Each structure stands twice: as C-alpha cells, then as structure tokens.
C-alpha cells in the first residue's frame, strides 16, 4: 500500500510517498512559493532516480503544485511508481481539529464542513490545509483522503488540564481552552517508546519532549495525553525559537501602552521576535546559539539555559501530575541532535530517578536509550516521524472502510 502524505501551508506544500506497512519512504519533496511563482523539489529515495532541486514550475494555486508532485511520482524516467493507481490513499496533516476530532478521519463533505467551521480557531493554518485537500480531491477524485489532526491526540486531556481559569462562558460559547499541538509527533514517539521498552502503552507514564523550532512537552499516561504545554495556540508553553511561550498577560498591556502597539503588533513580537531569538539577539537556531555561547556571548548562553530550565521544570510538573514517570523521550531537531541540551535538561533530576549516561547520550538521530543502565526512569532518544504516523493512520482507516 502506498500513501501520499500532504502537509499544505499557505504558500508551500510538503509531500512524502510512503509504504506504511514496511515504513519505506519512496519519495519526498516540497513545493514552495505557491501563488507567487513556484519552486519544485523532488527527492526520490529509490536507487538510480534523479532528484530535482527547487526547479521553476508555475504554481498559481495548490492544484498546480499537486499536479507537479503527481507528474514527478509517475515520471517514466525518475518516477517511483508506474501510475497514479499505485497511490492507494492520501493522508493530510490538518493543524486544528478542535473538539470535533479526537482521532484521524476519512474526509467527506461533513468533515470538510467541520474543518471550515474550525477556521476561526486556526486562521493561519486550517485554510491552507483545506485548500490542499481540495486540490488533491480535484486531481485524484477517486482516491480516499484521510485527515490527521495535530490536536487530536490531546483530546483525552481531563478538563482540569484543559480549562483556563477564565470566565467559563469563554469555554462554553467560544471554545477557548487548551488544545495542544504536535499531537501526531507525541503519539508516534510514545508508541515507539512502548515498543523500545517492550511494554504495553497502557502500563507506561511517559513525558514526551518535542524540542524543535516549535517545542511542546506532553504527559502521556497509559497511552493517552493527559497534559501538554501548548495551549489554545502554539504560542504557549516553553520558550521556543522565536515564540515567547507562557507569559504574564499583564506584560502585553504594559508594552502595548508604552510603545503604542496594537494587538497584532504585540502578537507579532510574541510569535516572531521572542523566544531564544529575542533573548539572545543572535538566532532562533540552537546551533548558532551554541556557537555564539562558546565564543563568550552571554545572552546566547542565557537563552539556551532559559530554554533548558523551562523544559526541565515542565518535566518535573508532569511527573507530579502523573504521580511518576517511567520514561522521558527527546525528539525533533533539538531533542534528536543536541546531546548537550539533553544532558542539561535531564541532569539534576536524580532525585526523581533519572540518571543520564554521558556516553550513551553521545548519539544523534537514531533510537537509543541514553540513561544509565541503573536509571529508574529511562531516557530515550526517538526521532519523530509524523509522516509515517499519518500514513499508518490513513492506511488503517482506508482498510477499515473497505471492510
Ligand atoms: P520545526 O520542525 O519545528 O521547524 P525542527 O524539529 O526541524 O523544527 O528543529 C529545528 C531546530 O533543531 C533548530 O533550532 C535547530 O537549531 C535544531 N537543531 C538541529 N540540529 C541541531 C544540533 N546539531 N544541535 C542543536 N540543535 C540542532
């Protein structure tokens, strides 16, 4: 079975063609500058097939982008499949499923309407996801499509974890609550963690740290998300590359008055100019911060320290929330690559049974146990694979629908 996984943004579209049964990746790539001019990148993962790197392809809309993807996949010289019939289904990443979607679903008219209804909750992301789905439906009218939501995994959180301490009517009338994001990643790595530990997910208390450009931490008890650090939007939680993370809302009023900013300008600062970028004044990329810090830049060092400290505090909070933890998982760009940050975050937690192994931690980008053999709490490095999770969900739903 081959599944095409689509992650559509407003002017870009990432794709992968995968076989979820074997986990094999056949091809991947990216369409950029959709609606502007159009750049197409194609990376076949099969021996002897030539890649294309940011070549000019006119993409006035997402439909031309999808067409370019399909043309490349079936190309007689460099394609990886013989015909479009070899694409069994399409899995779409959708950012916001609100309270409507607690799991992945087959896309039909009713689902499309629900996606439209949820636009106010994710005005930047969901419209692009909808456009991506419609473009695929137009090019592949007979291929089943499945929606996989970033928020769905967190729908198991109890009210005490998702209700904000605001007048309750804002939840009832306006759907203001913690939703959480990165759910597909947290679900994937927590499933892998259970496999690595040889336990059933129902027996495990896990803390999953997705640390990338955007970062979120999730408490997973018995296979279910019970708390997560992102909130109503992905701005909440730990500080990130350019996002502030949690902030005293009073700061906003103070700064808006002082600098005569409106709320959009303020939010632009919080989303794009804050986080480790804002504190360091150097970069949002942790590699640049490491470089600068090693040359004596104190604010770069402070930014990294502040980030690590915030992740550590959240781990402590979630261990308390679950009444213990069996394993801590590191994933995404920073979690998979930065041994020094993993060490800084997980050291000093010996009081709760976490003992790192410096040698085992000296690894990147592959599944590994990085705690000491006698550590009560296991620490795991698990590369995330949201596309594979989307492909697996899609295959399962399509197979079930066929009966
Ligand atoms: P996203 O998907 O949220 O854009 P990623 O998961 O790709 O982000 O993570 C990007 C982050 O990973 C960047 O801040 C980058 O600095 C960090 N990263 C990648 N490699 C390393 C490394 N070797 N050391 C430290 N950080 C790294």
């Amino acid at each position: 079975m081959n599944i095409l996984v689509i992650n559509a943004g407003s002017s870009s579209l990432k794709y992968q063609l995968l076989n979820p049964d074997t986990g094999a990746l056949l091809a991947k790539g990216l369409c950029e500058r959709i609606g502007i001019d159009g750049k197409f990148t194609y990376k076949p993962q099969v021996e002897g097939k030539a890649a294309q790197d940011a070549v000019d392809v006119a993409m006035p809309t997402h439909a031309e982008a999808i067409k370019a993807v399909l043309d490349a996949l079936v190309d007689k010289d460099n394609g990886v499949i013989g015909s479009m019939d070899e694409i069994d289904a399409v899995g779409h990443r959708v950012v916001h499923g609100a309270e409507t979607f607690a799991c992945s679903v087959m896309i039909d008219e009713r689902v499309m309407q629900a996606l439209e209804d949820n636009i106010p909750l994710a005005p930047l992301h969901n419209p692009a996801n909808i456009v991506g789905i419609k473009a695929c439906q137009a090019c592949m009218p007979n291929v089943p499509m499945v929606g996989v939501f970033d928020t769905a995994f967190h729908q198991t959180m109890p009210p005490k974890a998702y209700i904000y301490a605001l007048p309750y009517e804002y939840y009832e009338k306006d759907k203001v609550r913690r939703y959480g994001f990165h759910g597909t990643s947290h679900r994937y790595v927590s499933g892998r963690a259970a496999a690595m530990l040889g336990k059933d997910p129902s027996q495990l208390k896990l803390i999953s740290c997705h640390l990338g450009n955007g970062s979120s931490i999730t408490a997973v008890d018995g296979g279910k998300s019970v708390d997560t650090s992102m909130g109503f939007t992905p701005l909440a939680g730990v500080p990130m590359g350019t996002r502030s993370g949690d902030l005293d809302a009073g700061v906003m009023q103070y700064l808006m008055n002082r600098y005569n900013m409106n709320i959009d300008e303020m939010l632009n600062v919080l989303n794009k100019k804050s986080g480790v970028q804002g504190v360091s004044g150097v970069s949002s990329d942790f590699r640049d911060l490491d470089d600068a810090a090693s040359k004596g830049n104190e604010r770069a060092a402070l930014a990294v320290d502040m980030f690590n400290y915030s992740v550590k505090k959240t781990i402590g909070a979630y261990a308390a929330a679950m009444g213990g933890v069996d394993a801590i998982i590191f994933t995404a760009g920073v979690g998979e690559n930065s041994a020094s940050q993993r060490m800084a975050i997980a050291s000093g937690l010996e009081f709760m049974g976490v003992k790192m192994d410096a040698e085992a931690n000296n690894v990147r980008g592959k599944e590994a146990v990085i705690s000491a053999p006698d550590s009560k709490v296991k620490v795991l490095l698990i590369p995330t694979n949201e596309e594979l999770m989307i492909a697996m969900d899609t295959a399962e739903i399509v197979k079930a629908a066929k009966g």
Side-chain angles (χ1 to χ4, degrees):
M1 199 170 208
N2 294 322
I3 307 291
L4 179 62
V5 174
I6 298 289
N7 180 354
S10 57
S11 69
S12 72
L13 183 150
K14 293 187 201 139
Y15 64 93
Q16 288 196 1
L17 186 69
L18 295 138
N19 179 333
D21 302 320
T22 62
L25 173 63
L26 300 172
K28 64 178 179 178
L30 173 66
C31 305
E32 292 168 285
R33 297 177 61 85
I34 300 170
I36 305 166
D37 40 23
K39 298 272 178 210
F40 179 67
T41 297
Y42 171 64
K43 295 183 179 165
Q45 307 292 303
V46 175
E47 275 282 315
K49 304 286 180 182
Q52 298 181 57
D53 190 13
V55 298
D56 291 322
V57 174
M59 297 175 192
T61 70
H62 286 65
E64 290 79 14
I66 297 287
K67 176 133 191 339
V69 172
L70 297 175
D71 285 348
L73 292 174
V74 302
D75 182 74
K76 70 177 172 20
D77 296 321
N78 293 309
V80 291
I81 49 175
S83 80
M84 293 234 316
D85 294 345
E86 292 174 44
I87 299 175
D88 296 285
V90 183
H92 292 272
R93 179 206 182 203
V94 182
V95 169
H96 216 308
E99 290 186 336
T100 330
F101 300 107
C103 59
S104 305
V105 288
M106 186 77 87
I107 295 174
D108 58 16
E109 294 274 308
R110 197 183 48 85
V111 168
M112 290 303 283
Q113 186 56 52
L115 296 183
E116 299 270 354
D117 294 344
N118 288 336
I119 286 178
L121 294 174
L124 296 179
H125 291 102
N126 274 25
N129 300 151
I130 293 170
V131 166
I133 295 169
K134 287 185 174 164
C136 283
Q137 287 173 328
C139 292
M140 295 174 270
N142 300 316
V143 178
M145 311 259 160
V146 168
V148 180
F149 304 89
D150 267 19
T151 51
F153 183 54
H154 302 301
Q155 279 297 302
T156 47
M157 282 190 289
K160 66 182 177 189
Y162 72 69
I163 289 292
Y164 287 130
L166 292 171
Y168 196 71
E169 70 223 43
Y170 292 138
Y171 168 60
E172 285 187 308
K173 288 218 295 255
D174 305 305
K175 302 181 180 172
V176 173
R177 51 162 284 178
R178 181 186 306 279
Y179 288 102
F181 298 88
H182 289 145
T184 309
S185 173
H186 290 298
R187 183 157 62 96
Y188 176 77
V189 297
S190 48
R192 288 301 311 152
M196 283 172 76
L197 298 170
K199 293 247 170 78
D200 193 82
S202 65
Q203 300 172 300
L204 288 170
K205 295 180 193 297
L206 303 170
I207 298 175
S208 165
C209 305
H210 178 114
L211 311 179
N213 207 3
S215 293
S216 73
I217 305 172
T218 296
V220 183
D221 195 349
K224 296 193 164 99
S225 168
V226 292
D227 206 344
T228 193
S229 60
M230 282 180 170
F232 179 68
T233 73
L235 180 55
V238 296
M240 310 182 205
T242 63
R243 289 177 228 156
S244 63
D246 290 342
L247 182 76
D248 174 352
V251 170
M252 294 170 65
Q253 185 194 34
Y254 179 75
L255 288 177
M256 286 165 75
N257 286 340
R258 242 174 128 78
Y259 293 104
N260 199 18
M261 279 189 275
N262 63 31
I263 188 68
D264 291 336
E265 291 164 331
M266 185 75 245
L267 263 293
N268 190 48
V269 171
L270 298 185
N271 273 306
K272 306 226 168 98
K273 298 183 175 165
S274 299
V276 293
Q277 161 79 63
V279 172
S280 68
V282 171
S283 172
S284 62
D285 190 306
F286 283 90
R287 285 164 292 197
D288 299 338
L289 298 178
D290 280 349
D291 257 10
S294 68
K295 291 180 185 130
N297 185 315
E298 288 179 10
R299 270 171 51 194
L302 171 63
V304 178
D305 267 0
M306 169 204 69
F307 174 84
N308 294 344
Y309 174 68
S310 180
V311 175
K312 185 195 292 270
K313 274 202 304 191
T314 311
I315 290 173
Y318 288 172
M322 292 191 289
V325 53
D326 297 301
I328 298 167
I329 306 163
F330 286 104
T331 194
V334 178
E336 291 169 28
N337 290 295
S338 177
S340 63
Q341 288 189 254
R342 288 193 301 261
M343 187 55 96
I345 291 164
S347 60
L349 298 179
E350 290 78 8
F351 75 93
M352 52 180 256
V354 180
K355 192 166 155 199
M356 286 291 277
D357 181 326
E359 204 172 309
N361 184 41
N362 192 13
V363 62
R364 69 164 36 153
K366 62 174 190 197
E367 289 186 358
V369 179
I370 57 174
S371 48
D374 60 342
S375 183
K376 191 167 132 306
V377 177
K378 302 290 170 222
V379 186
L380 308 173
L381 190 174
I382 304 181
T384 193
N385 194 339
E386 290 163 276
E387 291 79 10
L388 179 57
M389 187 84 256
I390 293 173
M392 285 158 59
D393 273 10
T394 302
E396 194 180 312
I397 287 172
V398 168
K399 279 179 194 159
K402 282 186 180 151

